[in-house]
Amino acid sequence: MSAAPPQSVLVRAHEVSKSFHSGAIDADALHDVSIEVRTGELALLMGPSGSGKTTLLYILSGLMRPTSGDVELCGVTITRHSDKVSAEVRRRHVGFIFQTYNLFPALSALDNVAEVSVMKGAPRHEAHARATDILTRVGLGDRLRHRPGELSGGQRQRVAIARALAGEPTLIVGDEPTGALDKNTGYAIVQLLRDQVSEARGVLLVTHDLRLRRFADRIIEIDDGRIVADSPVTQSGQALERDHA
Ligand SMILES: Nc1ncnc2c1ncn2[C@@H]1O[C@H](COP(=O)(O)OP(=O)(O)O)[C@@H](O)[C@H]1O
Ligand SMILES: [Mg+2]
């Protein structure tokens, strides 16, 4: 048996803070958050509503800039670069599953997914073949020509997941990707995401669902904008207690 390949860091937040200013009100969403997600792992980010999960995912993926701190995404310190560079790194490396799906309403499920490969330069017939394969794997092989408005919430979520996979991302990020799915469909989807983990790839998912711990290599807990725990999960599914001081 060969040794496990060394893990490398896919994304690293270093002392990231974020404040939102609206009128006279300041909301401090993140305080000095430092985390890493590596290749070969599926990490879950858990925490109560309003604790900063979505804000952190957006910052890690280059969709939002922190107020202070640095983010290194796939080898590039995006916080030290322009929005254009940041967007390019994201487009090349990140598959983001939005909580609200963000599908193109006028396009079929097939075109929503195929568009990602087309934008990356694939010929249209290849993009369609690939999109058909991925949609079939998420259980939507019989919904290829449907538009988002003709699909249920759970089906739209699966199109969003298929779209995130279509770009062959290095890092897959999902904001409650099983939120609209029933238990069994949710498990199947997380298993599918789990299957994407490899020596070159990693997955970071926000979830409220404690039952998904069984799929995780690492559980990061956030509360009120602060990381309160970051622990590997043992084979028995128990998170090792290694709380931050
Ligand atoms: N665009 C925004 N403007 C102002 N406040 C925001 C904005 N986005 C998030 N917040 C605030 O930041 C905090 C964290 O929000 P969020 O990251 O959405 O939490 P979660 O995803 O864990 O529910 C909350 O207090 C929320 O109200
Ligand atoms: Mg959220």
Side-chain angles (χ1 to χ4, degrees), residues 167-219:
E168 301 196 298
T170 321
L171 175 66
I172 298 166
V173 177
D175 198 352
E176 313 218 15
T178 62
L181 306 177
D182 64 71
K183 186 176 128 203
N184 287 332
T185 311
Y187 279 10
I189 289 294
V190 177
Q191 184 62 54
L192 180 75
L193 293 173
R194 166 89 246 167
D195 293 342
Q196 309 301 313
V197 172
S198 70
E199 13 181 311
R201 275 179 144 180
V203 178
L204 173 64
L205 304 178
V206 162
T207 183
H208 276 116
D209 190 348
L210 280 168
R211 293 170 307 194
L212 299 183
R213 292 167 83 96
R214 74 180 67 169
F215 297 99
D217 301 297
R218 167 184 302 281
I219 297 185

Coordinates of all heavy atoms in Angstrom, one line a residue, residues 167-219:
G167 N -17.7 22.5 -13.8 CA -16.5 23.2 -14.1 C -15.2 22.5 -13.6 O -14.1 23.0 -13.7
E168 N -15.4 21.2 -13.1 CA -14.3 20.4 -12.6 C -13.5 21.3 -11.6 O -12.3 21.4 -11.8 CB -13.4 19.9 -13.7 CG -14.3 19.0 -14.6 CD -13.4 18.1 -15.5 OE1 -12.6 18.7 -16.3 OE2 -13.5 16.9 -15.3
P169 N -14.1 21.8 -10.6 CA -13.5 22.7 -9.6 C -12.5 22.0 -8.8 O -12.6 20.8 -8.5 CB -14.6 23.3 -8.8 CG -15.6 22.2 -8.8 CD -15.6 21.6 -10.2
T170 N -11.5 22.7 -8.3 CA -10.5 22.2 -7.3 C -11.2 22.2 -5.9 O -11.0 21.3 -5.1 CB -9.3 23.1 -7.3 OG1 -9.0 23.5 -8.6 CG2 -8.1 22.3 -6.7
L171 N -11.9 23.2 -5.7 CA -12.6 23.4 -4.4 C -14.1 23.5 -4.6 O -14.6 24.4 -5.4 CB -12.1 24.7 -3.7 CG -12.8 25.0 -2.4 CD1 -12.5 24.0 -1.3 CD2 -12.3 26.4 -1.9
I172 N -14.9 22.6 -4.0 CA -16.3 22.7 -4.1 C -16.9 23.3 -2.8 O -16.5 22.8 -1.7 CB -17.0 21.3 -4.3 CG1 -16.4 20.7 -5.6 CG2 -18.5 21.4 -4.3 CD1 -16.7 19.2 -5.8
V173 N -17.6 24.4 -2.9 CA -18.2 25.1 -1.7 C -19.7 25.1 -1.8 O -20.2 25.4 -2.9 CB -17.6 26.5 -1.7 CG1 -18.2 27.3 -0.5 CG2 -16.1 26.6 -1.6
G174 N -20.3 24.6 -0.7 CA -21.8 24.6 -0.8 C -22.4 25.3 0.4 O -22.0 25.0 1.6
D175 N -23.4 26.1 0.2 CA -24.1 26.8 1.3 C -25.4 26.1 1.5 O -26.4 26.3 0.8 CB -24.3 28.3 0.9 CG -24.6 29.1 2.1 OD1 -24.8 28.6 3.2 OD2 -24.7 30.4 2.0
E176 N -25.4 25.2 2.5 CA -26.6 24.4 2.9 C -27.1 23.7 1.6 O -28.3 23.8 1.3 CB -27.7 25.2 3.5 CG -27.1 26.1 4.6 CD -28.0 26.3 5.8 OE1 -28.9 25.5 6.0 OE2 -27.7 27.2 6.6
P177 N -26.3 22.9 1.0 CA -26.7 22.3 -0.3 C -27.8 21.2 -0.2 O -28.3 20.8 -1.2 CB -25.4 21.6 -0.8 CG -24.6 21.4 0.4 CD -24.9 22.5 1.3
T178 N -28.0 20.7 1.0 CA -29.1 19.7 1.2 C -30.3 20.3 1.9 O -31.3 19.6 2.2 CB -28.6 18.5 2.1 OG1 -28.3 19.0 3.4 CG2 -27.4 17.9 1.5
G179 N -30.3 21.7 2.0 CA -31.4 22.3 2.7 C -32.8 22.0 2.2 O -33.8 21.9 2.9
A180 N -32.9 21.9 0.9 CA -34.2 21.7 0.3 C -34.5 20.3 -0.1 O -35.5 20.0 -0.7 CB -34.3 22.6 -1.0
L181 N -33.7 19.4 0.4 CA -33.8 18.0 0.0 C -34.3 17.1 1.1 O -34.0 17.4 2.3 CB -32.4 17.4 -0.5 CG -31.7 18.2 -1.6 CD1 -30.4 17.6 -1.9 CD2 -32.6 18.3 -2.9
D182 N -35.1 16.1 0.8 CA -35.5 15.1 1.8 C -34.2 14.3 2.3 O -33.2 14.4 1.6 CB -36.6 14.2 1.3 CG -36.1 13.3 0.2 OD1 -35.3 12.4 0.4 OD2 -36.5 13.6 -1.0
K183 N -34.4 13.6 3.4 CA -33.2 13.0 4.0 C -32.4 12.1 3.0 O -31.2 12.2 2.9 CB -33.7 12.2 5.2 CG -32.6 11.6 6.0 CD -33.1 10.9 7.2 CE -32.5 9.5 7.3 NZ -33.3 8.5 8.1
N184 N -33.1 11.2 2.3 CA -32.4 10.2 1.5 C -31.7 10.9 0.3 O -30.6 10.6 -0.1 CB -33.3 9.1 1.0 CG -33.6 8.2 2.2 OD1 -32.8 8.0 3.1 ND2 -34.8 7.6 2.2
T185 N -32.5 11.9 -0.3 CA -31.8 12.6 -1.5 C -30.6 13.4 -1.0 O -29.6 13.4 -1.6 CB -32.9 13.6 -2.1 OG1 -34.1 12.8 -2.3 CG2 -32.3 14.1 -3.4
G186 N -30.8 14.0 0.2 CA -29.7 14.7 0.8 C -28.5 13.9 1.0 O -27.3 14.3 0.7
Y187 N -28.7 12.7 1.6 CA -27.5 11.8 1.8 C -26.9 11.4 0.5 O -25.7 11.4 0.4 CB -28.0 10.5 2.5 CG -28.2 10.6 3.9 CD1 -28.2 11.8 4.6 CD2 -28.4 9.4 4.7 CE1 -28.3 11.9 6.0 CE2 -28.6 9.5 6.1 CZ -28.6 10.7 6.7 OH -28.7 10.8 8.0
A188 N -27.7 11.1 -0.5 CA -27.2 10.7 -1.8 C -26.3 11.9 -2.4 O -25.2 11.6 -3.0 CB -28.3 10.3 -2.8
I189 N -26.8 13.1 -2.3 CA -26.1 14.2 -2.8 C -24.8 14.4 -2.0 O -23.7 14.7 -2.7 CB -27.0 15.5 -2.7 CG1 -28.1 15.4 -3.8 CG2 -26.1 16.8 -2.9 CD1 -27.7 15.4 -5.2
V190 N -24.8 14.3 -0.7 CA -23.5 14.5 0.0 C -22.6 13.4 -0.3 O -21.4 13.6 -0.4 CB -23.8 14.7 1.5 CG1 -22.5 14.8 2.3 CG2 -24.7 15.9 1.8
Q191 N -23.1 12.2 -0.5 CA -22.2 11.1 -0.9 C -21.5 11.4 -2.2 O -20.3 11.2 -2.4 CB -23.0 9.8 -1.0 CG -22.1 8.6 -1.3 CD -21.0 8.3 -0.2 OE1 -21.4 8.2 1.0 NE2 -19.8 8.3 -0.6
L192 N -22.4 12.0 -3.2 CA -21.8 12.4 -4.5 C -20.7 13.4 -4.3 O -19.7 13.3 -4.9 CB -23.0 12.9 -5.3 CG -22.6 13.4 -6.7 CD1 -22.4 12.2 -7.6 CD2 -23.7 14.3 -7.3
L193 N -20.9 14.4 -3.4 CA -19.9 15.4 -3.2 C -18.7 14.8 -2.5 O -17.6 15.1 -2.8 CB -20.5 16.5 -2.3 CG -21.6 17.4 -3.0 CD1 -22.2 18.3 -2.0 CD2 -21.0 18.1 -4.2
R194 N -19.0 13.8 -1.6 CA -17.9 13.1 -0.9 C -17.0 12.4 -1.9 O -15.8 12.3 -1.8 CB -18.6 12.1 0.1 CG -17.8 11.0 0.7 CD -17.1 11.5 2.0 NE -15.7 11.5 1.8 CZ -14.8 12.0 2.6 NH1 -15.2 12.6 3.7 NH2 -13.5 12.0 2.3
D195 N -17.7 11.8 -2.9 CA -17.0 11.1 -4.0 C -16.0 12.0 -4.8 O -15.2 11.5 -5.5 CB -17.9 10.3 -4.9 CG -18.7 9.2 -4.2 OD1 -18.2 8.8 -3.1 OD2 -19.7 8.8 -4.7
Q196 N -16.3 13.3 -4.7 CA -15.5 14.2 -5.5 C -14.1 14.4 -4.8 O -13.2 14.9 -5.5 CB -16.2 15.6 -5.7 CG -17.6 15.5 -6.2 CD -17.6 14.8 -7.6 OE1 -16.9 15.1 -8.5 NE2 -18.6 13.9 -7.7
V197 N -14.1 14.2 -3.5 CA -12.8 14.4 -2.8 C -11.7 13.5 -3.3 O -11.9 12.4 -3.5 CB -13.1 14.2 -1.3 CG1 -11.8 14.3 -0.5 CG2 -14.1 15.1 -0.7
S198 N -10.6 14.1 -3.6 CA -9.4 13.4 -4.1 C -8.2 14.1 -3.7 O -8.2 15.0 -2.9 CB -9.5 13.4 -5.6 OG -9.2 14.7 -6.1
E199 N -7.0 13.5 -4.2 CA -5.8 14.2 -3.8 C -5.7 15.6 -4.3 O -4.8 16.4 -3.8 CB -4.5 13.4 -4.2 CG -4.8 12.3 -5.1 CD -3.5 11.5 -5.5 OE1 -2.5 12.2 -5.8 OE2 -3.5 10.3 -5.5
A200 N -6.5 15.9 -5.3 CA -6.4 17.2 -5.9 C -7.6 18.1 -5.5 O -7.6 19.3 -5.9 CB -6.3 17.1 -7.4
R201 N -8.5 17.6 -4.8 CA -9.8 18.3 -4.6 C -10.2 18.3 -3.2 O -10.0 17.3 -2.4 CB -10.9 17.6 -5.4 CG -11.0 18.1 -6.8 CD -12.1 17.3 -7.4 NE -12.8 18.1 -8.3 CZ -13.9 17.7 -9.0 NH1 -14.3 16.5 -8.9 NH2 -14.4 18.5 -9.8
G202 N -11.0 19.3 -2.8 CA -11.6 19.3 -1.4 C -13.0 19.9 -1.5 O -13.3 20.5 -2.5
V203 N -13.7 19.7 -0.4 CA -15.1 20.2 -0.4 C -15.4 20.9 1.0 O -14.9 20.4 2.0 CB -16.1 19.0 -0.5 CG1 -17.6 19.5 -0.4 CG2 -15.9 18.2 -1.8
L204 N -16.1 22.0 1.0 CA -16.4 22.7 2.2 C -17.9 23.0 2.1 O -18.4 23.6 1.2 CB -15.7 24.0 2.3 CG -16.1 25.0 3.4 CD1 -15.8 24.3 4.8 CD2 -15.4 26.3 3.3
L205 N -18.7 22.4 3.1 CA -20.1 22.6 3.1 C -20.6 23.2 4.3 O -20.2 22.8 5.4 CB -20.8 21.2 2.9 CG -20.4 20.4 1.7 CD1 -21.2 19.0 1.8 CD2 -20.7 21.1 0.4
V206 N -21.5 24.2 4.2 CA -22.3 24.7 5.4 C -23.5 23.8 5.5 O -24.2 23.4 4.6 CB -22.8 26.1 5.1 CG1 -23.9 26.5 6.1 CG2 -21.6 27.1 5.3
T207 N -23.7 23.4 6.8 CA -24.9 22.6 7.0 C -25.4 22.8 8.4 O -24.7 23.1 9.3 CB -24.7 21.1 6.8 OG1 -26.0 20.4 7.0 CG2 -23.7 20.5 7.7
H208 N -26.7 22.6 8.6 CA -27.3 22.5 10.0 C -27.5 21.1 10.4 O -27.8 20.8 11.5 CB -28.7 23.2 9.9 CG -28.7 24.6 10.0 ND1 -29.1 25.5 9.0 CD2 -28.3 25.4 11.1 CE1 -29.0 26.7 9.4 NE2 -28.5 26.7 10.6
D209 N -27.3 20.2 9.5 CA -27.7 18.8 9.7 C -26.6 18.0 10.3 O -25.6 17.6 9.7 CB -28.1 18.2 8.3 CG -28.8 16.9 8.5 OD1 -28.8 16.3 9.6 OD2 -29.3 16.4 7.5
L210 N -26.8 17.7 11.6 CA -25.8 16.9 12.3 C -25.5 15.5 11.8 O -24.5 15.0 11.9 CB -26.2 16.8 13.8 CG -25.9 18.0 14.7 CD1 -26.6 17.9 16.0 CD2 -24.4 18.2 14.9
R211 N -26.6 15.0 11.1 CA -26.4 13.7 10.5 C -25.4 13.6 9.4 O -24.9 12.5 9.1 CB -27.8 13.2 10.0 CG -28.8 13.0 11.1 CD -30.2 12.8 10.5 NE -30.5 13.8 9.5 CZ -31.7 14.1 9.0 NH1 -32.7 13.3 9.4 NH2 -31.9 15.0 8.2
L212 N -25.0 14.8 8.9 CA -24.0 14.8 7.8 C -22.6 14.6 8.3 O -21.6 14.5 7.5 CB -24.1 16.0 7.0 CG -25.5 16.2 6.3 CD1 -25.4 17.5 5.4 CD2 -25.8 15.0 5.4
R213 N -22.4 14.6 9.7 CA -21.1 14.4 10.2 C -20.4 13.2 9.7 O -19.2 13.1 9.6 CB -21.2 14.3 11.8 CG -21.6 15.5 12.4 CD -22.0 15.2 13.9 NE -20.8 15.2 14.7 CZ -20.4 16.2 15.5 NH1 -21.0 17.4 15.4 NH2 -19.3 16.2 16.2
R214 N -21.2 12.1 9.5 CA -20.6 10.8 9.0 C -19.8 11.0 7.7 O -19.0 10.1 7.4 CB -21.7 9.8 8.9 CG -22.5 10.0 7.6 CD -23.6 8.9 7.5 NE -24.6 9.1 8.6 CZ -25.8 8.4 8.6 NH1 -26.1 7.6 7.7 NH2 -26.6 8.6 9.6
F215 N -20.1 12.0 6.9 CA -19.4 12.2 5.6 C -18.2 13.1 5.8 O -17.5 13.3 4.8 CB -20.4 12.9 4.6 CG -21.6 12.0 4.3 CD1 -22.8 12.3 4.9 CD2 -21.5 11.0 3.4 CE1 -23.9 11.5 4.6 CE2 -22.6 10.2 3.1 CZ -23.8 10.5 3.7
A216 N -18.0 13.6 7.0 CA -17.0 14.7 7.1 C -15.6 14.2 7.6 O -15.5 13.3 8.4 CB -17.5 15.8 8.1
D217 N -14.6 14.8 7.1 CA -13.2 14.6 7.7 C -12.9 15.6 8.8 O -12.0 15.4 9.6 CB -12.2 14.7 6.6 CG -12.4 13.8 5.5 OD1 -12.3 12.6 5.7 OD2 -12.7 14.2 4.3
R218 N -13.6 16.7 8.7 CA -13.3 17.8 9.6 C -14.6 18.6 9.9 O -15.4 18.8 9.0 CB -12.3 18.8 9.0 CG -12.0 20.1 9.6 CD -11.1 21.0 8.8 NE -9.8 20.3 8.7 CZ -8.9 20.2 9.6 NH1 -9.1 20.9 10.7 NH2 -7.8 19.5 9.5
I219 N -14.8 19.0 11.1 CA -15.9 19.9 11.4 C -15.4 21.2 12.1 O -14.6 21.2 13.0 CB -16.9 19.2 12.4 CG1 -17.4 17.9 11.6 CG2 -18.0 20.1 12.8 CD1 -18.5 17.2 12.3

